[in-house]
Amino acid sequence: MEAQKYVWDGAIPLQIHLHESQVTTLPPPPPALILAPRIGYLPLLASLLKPYFSSTLPPGVDTIWFDYNGLPLKWYIPTGVLFDLLCAEPERPWNLTVHFRGYPGTVLIPCEGEDSVKWSYINSLKEAAYIMNGNCKNVMNMSQSDQLELWHSVMNGNLETYQRVSSKLKLATVEDEHTSLCSSKSQQGFGETDLAGQVKTGRVPVRLYVWSVSEDFDDLEDMPKVDSWEKISYINRPVEIHKEAGVDFEDALRIPSEDVSSDKVVEDHVQNAYEHREACSISSSAEIKLIRIQGIEPKLEIPFSWVVNNLMNPDYFLHICVCVKVPQQNST
């Protein structure tokens, strides 16, 4: 519970500048300073940013989006994951640019404000349920009031309300190898169980954001910058845990498993997206240079079950940012 509370309380200091093309007053407005929740989403900051910059915006319809060093930021990726992925050398405050015009529809899927973010979150929850239970009925059958209460708990960072409502979905965590303790009240096992109700095997929803580089580096400040989403492999994959064998963090990253495109999940039915999959894993020849999850660089020997139980996001996915050095291909 203590680790989960740290995750939910985690925040990133942002310094947000209005793009110069949308400044219509002199002097230009100073940047907005905001403490953004790690588990939140950038479009949810609109209610703070629009009033702040409204007096200088040109006429037109507002469609908020953000960029970092010219790279449009994917709004359905949690803010903390974006920070871990794009700032190898953490930048505090994180300098972002906000736009209210000129939405880059060729790079980002449409976002109609909070409602789009909410349904993206619910779709992720459905996908996680499908991976863990083989169906997403409990999520699809949520009452409207429970759905709203769950979403508001995520928006407001209310862990207690989130745990109470999400427990009805019966999307459980795995037994923690590190402590060998499992609370039947707060951690009901999923997958196969023995007579004592303890987990034998389970499938964990994982999202890998893999950035491959060919050049070597020793310091994070020398790490090449991400200037295009084409350089990021965005992989959804279930990791299967067998209680008898145990899995450490590095094993989990390299186990071959299924790939599900996140963009497709947003647009298509969860089951169809899950059934059309391809084998995918981090190659054994690749050298893992950096791993970040919830702002932490975990040791590779940490039991994977501890990482799952303590560092997953509210959508029940474990979001892991990985930088790997891959062997250079010979041109001959």
Side-chain angles (χ1 to χ4, degrees):
M1 280 298 299
E2 186 178 0
Q4 282 185 315
K5 191 173 187 308
Y6 275 118
V7 167
W8 277 68
D9 289 345
I12 299 166
L14 302 181
Q15 184 165 259
I16 302 178
H17 307 259
L18 180 63
H19 192 267
E20 58 184 14
S21 68
Q22 292 163 36
V23 175
T24 63
T25 59
L26 289 175
L33 300 175
I34 294 177
L35 203 57
R38 270 191 156 271
I39 62 170
Y41 300 86
L42 289 175
L44 300 181
L45 301 178
S47 61
L48 299 174
L49 293 173
K50 186 177 178 182
Y52 184 83
F53 291 120
S54 61
S55 63
T56 191
L57 289 175
V61 178
D62 296 332
T63 306
I64 194 169
W65 60 283
F66 298 80
D67 81 64
Y68 174 57
N69 290 338
L71 178 69
L73 299 181
K74 297 196 173 186
W75 55 265
Y76 51 83
I77 299 178
T79 304
V81 179
L82 288 170
F83 183 69
D84 291 345
L85 181 64
L86 301 177
C87 289
E89 182 70 28
E91 177 184 316
R92 297 186 180 90
W94 191 22
N95 282 276
L96 302 181
T97 300
V98 64
H99 306 248
F100 291 88
R101 308 285 187 273
Y103 193 83
T106 58
V107 180
L108 304 179
I109 60 176
C111 179
E112 303 298 331
E114 181 189 328
D115 210 43
S116 292
V117 183
K118 171 191 169 185
W119 286 113
S120 175
Y121 167 75
I122 296 296
N123 279 334
S124 290
L125 206 57
K126 291 177 184 177
E127 186 184 354
Y130 191 86
I131 290 171
M132 296 164 76
N133 295 345
N135 66 75
C136 50
K137 293 178 182 177
N138 288 345
V139 179
M140 296 180 72
N141 293 335
M142 287 180 73
S143 68
Q144 188 70 19
S145 60
D146 278 351
Q147 191 180 94
L148 284 174
E149 194 171 16
L150 183 67
W151 171 238
H152 287 152
S153 73
V154 174
M155 281 207 310
N156 300 325
N158 190 326
L159 177 58
E160 185 177 341
T161 301
Y162 169 82
Q163 289 177 323
R164 175 175 55 80
V165 180
S166 65
S167 66
K168 301 178 184 180
L169 301 177
K170 297 181 171 57
L171 302 179
T173 51
V174 296
E175 182 182 4
D176 195 333
E177 302 164 45
H178 189 64
T179 61
S180 297
L181 295 174
C182 184
S183 167
S184 59
K185 181 177 285 188
S186 63
Q187 297 184 5
Q188 302 173 16
F190 64 88
E192 297 178 20
T193 58
D194 57 23
L195 292 177
Q198 300 207 327
V199 175
K200 285 185 177 180
T201 179
R203 292 167 70 79
V204 177
V206 172
R207 281 198 174 138
L208 285 176
Y209 306 79
V210 183
W211 179 25
S212 301
V213 298
S214 55
E215 59 268 46
D216 204 358
F217 58 90
D218 295 320
D219 298 319
L220 292 181
E221 61 185 19
D222 298 326
M223 197 169 168
K225 303 296 183 185
V226 179
D227 56 11
S228 169
W229 285 108
E230 293 180 358
K231 295 182 179 179
I232 304 294
S233 298
Y234 187 31
I235 303 163
N236 288 356
R237 50 173 296 181
V239 173
E240 191 164 294
I241 290 183
H242 296 271
K243 180 184 174 186
E244 296 84 357
V247 178
D248 66 26
F249 199 63
E250 184 170 17
D251 291 338
L253 294 178
R254 296 192 187 273
I255 293 172
S257 75
E258 298 85 359
D259 170 32
V260 185
S261 164
S262 179
D263 283 359
K264 188 172 181 61
V265 170
V266 172
E267 297 165 6
D268 296 345
H269 189 276
V270 175
Q271 181 170 346
N272 291 336
Y274 186 73
E275 288 176 346
H276 293 84
R277 53 192 183 251
E278 299 174 358
C280 188
S281 64
I282 295 177
S283 168
S284 59
S285 63
E287 177 190 356
I288 297 176
K289 300 290 290 185
L290 178 68
I291 297 174
R292 286 248 175 87
I293 174 171
Q294 301 292 7
I296 299 166
E297 297 175 24
K299 295 181 179 179
L300 293 179
E301 63 270 18
I302 290 178
F304 187 60
S305 57
W306 186 93
V307 176
V308 173
N309 287 341
N310 292 282
L311 301 182
M312 71 178 181
N313 267 61
D315 60 1
Y316 277 84
F317 269 91
L318 197 61
H319 295 256
I320 306 174
C321 301
V322 186
C323 177
V324 297
K325 181 181 179 295
V326 295
Q328 290 189 343
Q329 298 293 327
N330 293 327
S331 56
T332 56

